[in-house]
Amino acid sequence: MAGVVSAEERFNIITRNLQEVLGGESIKAILEQGKNPKCYWGTAPTGRPHIGYFVALTKIADFLRAGVEVTILLADVHAFLDNLKAPLELVGYRTKYYEYLLRTVFTSLGIPISRLRFVEGSSYQLTKEYNMDNYKLCSIVTEHDAKKAGAEVVKQVESPFLSGLLYPGLQALDEQYLGCDFQFGGADQRKIFVFAEEYLPKLGYAKRAHLMNRMVPGLAGGKMSSSDPNSKIDFLDPPEAVRKKIKAAFCEEGNVADNGLLAFVKEVLIPISEMRIERSKGQTDADPEEGKSALGEQKPFVGEDAPEGTVFTIHRDPKFGGPSHYKNYEELRDDFASTNLHPKDLKTAVADAINKLLDPIRSTFQADEEWQKVEKLAYPDPNAKPEKKKKVKVYHPPPPGKGKNAQPATESGAAELSQPTSEVAG
């Protein structure tokens, strides 16, 4: 494997820029045997995916560089079970929409989809074996443990449905049925991951490792959520909508706490910039296909005249000090904290970078009629008025002698009509 000479280096690529790693020793053991670990990342097709997904999707490039075999789970059954976020009749369309979108986003990032395996949950979660294991779990998991495990992921309501309590158990079983060595997800999945580590061995299955990326705060602070349009930017939002949302985002001068824009620079823009810089130097290790079929502009978010080592540039008019070049996130954060970097300049830079990321995704969508049809079926307009059915006029012929073209009867005609049929015939 070109560029990677040790198991330790491969492990460092797999685990860099993560918030937490549980069970990393099991991954090291696989690497030391010269084998390729297997992982899965799953998403439930409910609300429209937002740009916070860039955090996880970009990290998958590292997995491929380290030789990891990656499965993308489209968890359609989970989507329905999550307290009916997605009605059953829409889940199928939303699953198709998510696959269209994820394949496009991966390609826009230069990640070769030929090296990814896409699996729908229902393709194996409805089998006899899987359901029997689910029943076994239900016989040993308490309501308390199931509710606690899903607290950060499953929608919490006053009177929760039983379906939401099943969610953590199914996600744990997915590790076994997808044949993975570790599961990758956001830090909000931690309780489910711990649940899986505890309960899978009780069914006689291996305990898996778990890797977690940081969560990006929403534009107004707090969690970026698909259900809150004001907290997030959709992958298909037009450029003007992106700028409007960024302009309205919470970004108090000098305040680095709960600043969603700074967090996005740290967790998305700088990692993508670094990935592109490494790719330009041929540092893709076990993934020689990375970047070859990429959509759109693949330049790092760095100015043309930036010094070596720069990973992010804030462009400004010379009369306001000119561009600022940063070699890491900490330099940018400190500049903002000391008010050397104004919120307006940060917002402009972030909006420009996001629109560059979204341009190839939006263009692909606009050129794909089938994807557009799926999108309308997956997310029908709630305010759309039902089409009025046109009344079909049925023609009923008038009785004899009636109607606008009827001719008045003559005396002879009337006399003839009054004769018996036998006489007329004779």
Side-chain angles (χ1 to χ4, degrees):
M1 183 163 50
V4 179
V5 296
S6 70
E8 183 179 358
E9 286 178 307
R10 293 176 70 189
F11 181 76
N12 289 338
I13 292 173
I14 291 171
T15 58
R16 66 179 179 178
N17 298 326
L18 293 174
Q19 178 168 318
E20 188 175 4
V21 175
L22 299 175
E25 292 303 317
S26 65
I27 299 176
K28 285 183 179 179
I30 295 170
L31 294 171
E32 287 169 358
Q33 294 173 27
K35 297 180 179 179
N36 292 330
K38 298 177 181 179
C39 89
Y40 99 78
W41 173 81
T43 181
T46 53
R48 292 175 182 269
H50 52 71
I51 60 172
Y53 279 60
F54 271 125
V55 180
L57 304 187
T58 303
K59 180 59 190 172
I60 288 172
D62 277 345
F63 296 157
L64 296 180
R65 287 181 178 187
V68 176
E69 298 175 21
V70 180
T71 294
I72 306 300
L73 173 64
L74 299 165
D76 50 352
V77 174
H78 289 76
F80 175 65
L81 290 177
D82 189 0
N83 281 299
L84 309 183
K85 276 184 183 177
L88 190 58
E89 61 271 18
L90 294 182
V91 169
Y93 295 125
R94 293 186 178 183
T95 301
K96 291 180 181 178
Y97 175 82
Y98 267 58
E99 184 167 0
Y100 270 115
L101 180 67
L102 291 175
R103 286 179 180 274
T104 304
V105 175
F106 278 127
T107 307
S108 75
L109 292 172
I111 297 172
I113 57 176
S114 61
R115 296 197 59 195
L116 303 174
R117 179 175 68 133
F118 287 81
V119 176
E120 288 186 21
S122 57
S123 67
Y124 64 89
Q125 290 168 345
L126 303 180
T127 62
K128 176 182 176 181
E129 294 77 14
Y130 188 95
N131 275 278
M132 196 66 237
D133 276 340
N134 182 33
Y135 295 145
K136 290 177 182 178
L137 266 183
C138 290
S139 72
I140 59 176
V141 176
T142 65
E143 177 190 3
H144 173 270
D145 283 1
K147 191 173 183 178
K148 179 182 177 182
E152 299 295 323
V153 178
V154 179
K155 185 178 180 180
Q156 300 300 298
V157 294
E158 189 174 340
S159 299
F161 295 109
L162 180 60
S163 58
L165 298 178
L166 295 176
Y167 194 109
L170 300 188
Q171 187 168 336
L173 288 176
D174 290 340
E175 297 180 359
Q176 174 66 25
Y177 281 80
L178 290 173
C180 74
D181 299 303
F182 70 88
Q183 184 181 170
F184 171 53
D188 61 338
Q189 305 273 332
R190 191 182 195 282
K191 291 180 180 178
I192 290 182
F193 291 165
V194 172
F195 174 94
E197 292 185 8
E198 177 182 354
Y199 281 100
L200 277 187
K202 293 181 179 180
L203 294 182
Y205 297 138
K207 176 181 175 181
R208 270 68 176 191
H210 296 95
L211 277 57
M212 287 160 272
N213 60 258
R214 296 179 184 85
M215 303 299 293
V216 177
L219 299 178
K223 183 179 178 180
M224 187 176 288
S225 171
S226 295
S227 60
D228 182 2
N230 295 320
S231 77
K232 54 98 176 186
I233 292 173
D234 189 292
F235 279 106
L236 298 179
D237 274 347
E240 58 274 16
V242 172
R243 295 191 184 282
K244 184 177 180 180
K245 289 182 179 181
I246 293 296
K247 184 177 180 181
F250 172 77
C251 190
E252 185 179 39
E253 187 173 13
N255 185 357
V256 299
D258 294 322
N259 189 317
L261 299 186
L262 285 176
F264 195 80
V265 172
K266 179 184 179 182
E267 303 298 340
V268 176
L269 299 183
I270 288 180
I272 290 177
S273 211
E274 290 174 332
M275 177 179 70
R276 291 175 174 177
I277 291 170
E278 291 169 349
R279 185 188 299 158
S280 69
K281 297 177 181 179
Q283 299 171 352
T284 60
D285 302 310
D287 192 2
E289 297 302 312
E290 183 185 314
K292 289 188 176 180
S293 300
L295 293 171
E297 182 181 303
Q298 296 296 305
K299 294 180 181 178
F301 303 115
V302 173
E304 295 292 338
D305 301 323
E308 183 69 23
T310 300
V311 295
F312 196 77
T313 296
I314 300 285
H315 299 279
R316 286 183 299 205
D317 191 286
K319 65 182 179 182
F320 296 119
S324 293
H325 308 292
Y326 300 99
K327 294 184 177 181
N328 52 58
Y329 168 74
E330 287 70 27
E331 287 184 0
L332 187 149
R333 178 201 60 200
D334 293 345
D335 240 12
F336 188 85
S338 62
T339 69
N340 288 327
L341 174 58
H342 194 272
K344 183 179 179 180
D345 295 323
L346 176 64
K347 287 185 174 185
T348 299
V350 171
D352 288 344
I354 290 175
N355 275 324
K356 287 180 181 178
L357 285 176
L358 299 186
D359 278 343
I361 301 169
R362 292 183 292 228
S363 297
T364 302
F365 174 76
Q366 292 300 329
D368 193 326
E369 292 185 5
E370 186 60 34
W371 186 6
Q372 293 173 39
K373 291 178 183 176
V374 169
E375 187 266 344
K376 289 181 179 178
L377 292 169
Y379 302 99
D381 184 357
N383 299 317
K385 295 180 179 179
E387 293 184 11
K388 292 184 178 179
K389 293 183 179 180
K390 293 183 178 180
K391 292 183 178 180
V392 179
K393 293 183 178 180
V394 179
Y395 174 71
H396 296 285
K402 302 292 183 182
K404 62 180 182 179
N405 296 322
Q407 297 296 324
T410 61
E411 291 184 8
S412 59
E416 289 178 356
L417 289 173
S418 66
Q419 298 297 319
T421 303
S422 59
E423 294 182 12
V424 174

